[in-house]
């Protein structure tokens, strides 16, 4: 399972890097806009779950694990993995890859 996730992240990141590099304008803005939405969804759900656990005074914080059942959390994390990998690839290729 770890291999599938790793392979998906590498392939997804490479596809996003190619799309961002060869498409200026609308496509790049869509890719970046989806990342912003994924970031907001991912961390809003995580923060809500942690805050509720702390307010409830749960000693072992087992309630935090229910966040893993949220479709928004899962979809956001699935997009952010390849997107961040894409940015790292572009950073590795140099300044030109970031344009």
């Amino acid at each position: 399972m770890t291999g599938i996730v790793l392979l998906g992240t590498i392939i997804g990141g490479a596809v996003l890097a190619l799309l961002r590099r060869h498409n200026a304008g609308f496509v790049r803005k869509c890719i970046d806009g989806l990342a912003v939405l994924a970031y907001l969804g991912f961390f809003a759900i995580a923060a809500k779950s942690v805050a509720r656990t702390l307010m409830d005074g749960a000693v072992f914080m087992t309630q935090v694990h229910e966040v893993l059942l949220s479709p928004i959390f899962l979809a956001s994390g699935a997009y952010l993995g390849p997107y961040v990998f894409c940015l790292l690839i572009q950073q590795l290729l140099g300044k030109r890859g970031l344009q």
Side-chain angles (χ1 to χ4, degrees), residues 7-17 82-83 85-86:
L7 186 62
T9 301
I10 291 169
I11 292 171
V15 168
L16 288 175
Y83 180 78
F85 186 70
C86 156

Side-chain angles (χ1 to χ4, degrees), residues 2-95:
T2 303
I4 292 171
V5 171
L6 184 60
L7 186 62
T9 301
I10 291 169
I11 292 171
V15 168
L16 288 175
L18 288 172
L19 286 173
R20 287 188 87 243
R21 187 169 199 171
H22 296 295
N23 293 298
F26 182 72
V27 173
R28 183 178 291 185
K29 291 207 184 286
C30 284
I31 291 169
D32 294 342
L34 283 172
V36 169
L37 292 175
Y39 176 85
L40 291 173
F42 189 86
F43 288 104
I45 290 173
K48 176 187 147 202
S49 181
V50 170
R52 195 181 75 214
T53 300
L54 293 174
M55 285 186 201
D56 290 347
V59 177
F60 296 107
M61 293 193 176
T62 55
Q63 291 177 333
V64 169
H65 294 97
E66 79 180 13
V67 75
L68 300 175
L69 299 174
S70 168
I72 294 172
F73 184 81
L74 293 173
S76 298
Y79 186 78
L80 286 176
Y83 180 78
V84 170
F85 186 70
C86 156
L87 295 181
L88 290 172
I89 290 171
Q90 290 181 329
Q91 187 68 24
L92 183 65
L93 295 176
K95 296 280 183 197

